Structures are given as C-alpha cells and as structure tokens.
Amino acid sequence: MYTHIKDVATGGTPVAQAKGAMIMLHGRGASAEGILSFASEFALKDIALFAPQATYGSWYPESFMAPVENNQPALDSALEVIHALVSDVVAAGIPKEEIYFFGFSQGACLALEYTSRHAVTYKGIIAFTGGLIGQQLAMENYTGDFNRTPVLITTSNPDAHVPLKRVKESGGIMENMNGSITVIAYPGKAHNISKDEVDLANKLFFTKN
C-alpha cells in the first residue's frame, strides 16, 4: 500500500491575478500534466489551475466500489492532499466559493468524495464518470451544506467501471446536502470524455453570461 506526496502542477492565470481556481483530478494511469492540458476545452477566464499528481498514477489501488479499507491508506492520503491544496488556494487569496473541482473517472470519484466530506459553497463541481467511494457509503462522512453549489455528474450507460446506480445515488446524496445537481447518463458512450459532456459543462458553468 502507498500514500501520496503533494506534487502539484499549475497552469492558467497566475494565482495572484486570478479571480478563481480549478482543482483538476486525473484518472487512473493518467497524469497531472495530462488533465491540466484538458483545461483548454473549457471556456475559462481568469482561473488558476491546480492538478495534483497521484503516486504511481493512481489515487487508490482498487475499484471505487471496493470496501473502503481495501483502498487505504491511499484514499485517506489522497483526500489529505486535496485538503492541503484547498488550504493553499485559500491562503493565496481565492475563497472556497470561487473554487471549481473537476475530475475524470477515478479523479471524478475523488472530487465527489472530497467535496461531499467538506460540503460548503464552491463555484462548481464537475465529475465526468464517477460516484462516491465505497462498497457501502458511510453517510456519516458526508456533512455540511453545498448552499446550491452547481454539480454536474456524467457517466456512460452502461459503464464498465462506474455503475449507474451509484452515480444516481451520489447525486441524490449531494442534492440532499443542498447541491444543485445535474446527472446525465449517455447511452453507449465509451469510458472517456465526450464533446457533449464538455459542451454541457461549458453551458452550465462557463458560458452563461
């Protein structure tokens, strides 16, 4: 088993000049630099980008649907890395209500898990193909109030790694925590990020004005 060190790639607008931030969480076998480059697909303006790198390219070793103890200590370590990064962003002058979270696959699961364990007003949460983590969800972990934070969760129907039931369950839990939830399942989509998902995220989060 393994833990993570805080190794963060950055991009976008320099944080001192930025009006907001996006924390970007890569998928299994991918990289911080890879997900950082994906930010160009979004219509971002004045946003500082932060992408932590998972040790060995994986935030936790087994499926997100495995018993939580099977993914420890990597999972708790990953959540601690994100928490430290959020603290760094806030210390740099960007409040939590101006922070976006974005993740794909394993990174999407981690984004949902972290924000649901620390529910406050965020700028937005974008989870492409993911759900809350654990064979059985520990509801006592999910505390706070999203205060109508917009949340987009997308997936394939079916998806080989992410059961649609868990995606819907995750959306329901976050909605009960006062999130403004959009859940979309794309029939027959591959386990990837589609143009439709990007277009929807841009519409919901970045090109409304």
Side-chain angles (χ1 to χ4, degrees), residues 184-196:
I184 302 289
Y186 294 92
K189 185 180 78 69
H191 188 79
N192 60 11
I193 299 175
S194 68
K195 182 177 184 299
D196 284 347

Side-chain angles (χ1 to χ4, degrees), residues 9 11 19 23 27 35 53 63 69 74 81-82 85 87 95-96 111 130 133 138-139 151 174-175 188 190 193 202:
K19 295 179 180 176
I23 293 174
I35 195 118
Q53 175 64 51
S63 164
E69 56 268 23
V81 165
I82 298 170
L85 178 54
S87 296
K96 289 179 182 178
I133 296 172
M139 297 302 297
V151 181
M174 296 177 82
E175 188 168 48
I193 299 175
N202 275 318

Side-chain angles (χ1 to χ4, degrees), residues 107-204:
C109 298
L110 198 60
L112 295 174
E113 187 70 20
Y114 176 81
T115 54
S116 294
R117 291 189 184 205
H118 302 275
V120 294
T121 307
Y122 297 111
K123 191 68 172 178
I125 302 163
I126 304 166
F128 287 160
T129 314
L132 292 170
I133 296 172
Q135 185 178 52
Q136 302 294 327
L137 295 179
M139 297 302 297
E140 64 273 15
N141 287 337
Y142 307 131
T143 60
D145 188 330
F146 282 117
N147 297 305
R148 307 309 295 161
T149 294
V151 181
L152 173 62
I153 311 174
T154 66
T155 191
S156 315
N157 184 22
D159 184 89
H161 306 285
V162 181
L164 180 56
K165 181 181 178 182
R166 174 56 59 87
V167 173
K168 291 181 176 179
E169 182 181 13
S170 302
I173 289 168
M174 296 177 82
E175 188 168 48
N176 288 338
M177 298 170 71
N178 203 21
S180 179
I181 312 299
T182 302
V183 174
I184 302 289
Y186 294 92
K189 185 180 78 69
H191 188 79
N192 60 11
I193 299 175
S194 68
K195 182 177 184 299
D196 284 347
E197 288 168 290
V198 173
D199 289 347
L200 179 59
N202 275 318
K203 180 181 177 181
L204 291 177

Side-chain angles (χ1 to χ4, degrees), residues 16-157:
Q17 286 81 51
K19 295 179 180 176
M22 178 181 280
I23 293 174
M24 309 185 74
L25 300 171
H26 67 75
R28 189 186 299 271
S31 69
E33 293 291 350
I35 195 118
L36 202 64
S37 69
F38 188 82
S40 63
E41 299 291 325
F42 296 132
L44 303 179
K45 184 178 180 182
D46 301 324
I47 301 295
L49 305 175
F50 300 89
Q53 175 64 51
T55 300
Y56 309 123
S58 180
W59 292 112
Y60 42 86
E62 296 191 11
S63 164
F64 86 111
M65 295 292 293
V68 165
E69 56 268 23
N70 291 18
N71 281 315
Q72 299 294 18
L75 175 58
D76 279 352
S77 176
L79 293 168
E80 288 166 6
V81 165
I82 298 170
H83 197 58
L85 178 54
V86 170
S87 296
D88 290 346
V89 172
V90 172
I94 295 175
K96 289 179 182 178
E97 57 265 30
E98 295 298 333
I99 298 177
Y100 294 99
F101 288 83
F102 166 66
F104 169 64
S105 192
Q106 196 185 55
C109 298
L110 198 60
L112 295 174
E113 187 70 20
Y114 176 81
T115 54
S116 294
R117 291 189 184 205
H118 302 275
V120 294
T121 307
Y122 297 111
K123 191 68 172 178
I125 302 163
I126 304 166
F128 287 160
T129 314
L132 292 170
I133 296 172
Q135 185 178 52
Q136 302 294 327
L137 295 179
M139 297 302 297
E140 64 273 15
N141 287 337
Y142 307 131
T143 60
D145 188 330
F146 282 117
N147 297 305
R148 307 309 295 161
T149 294
V151 181
L152 173 62
I153 311 174
T154 66
T155 191
S156 315
N157 184 22

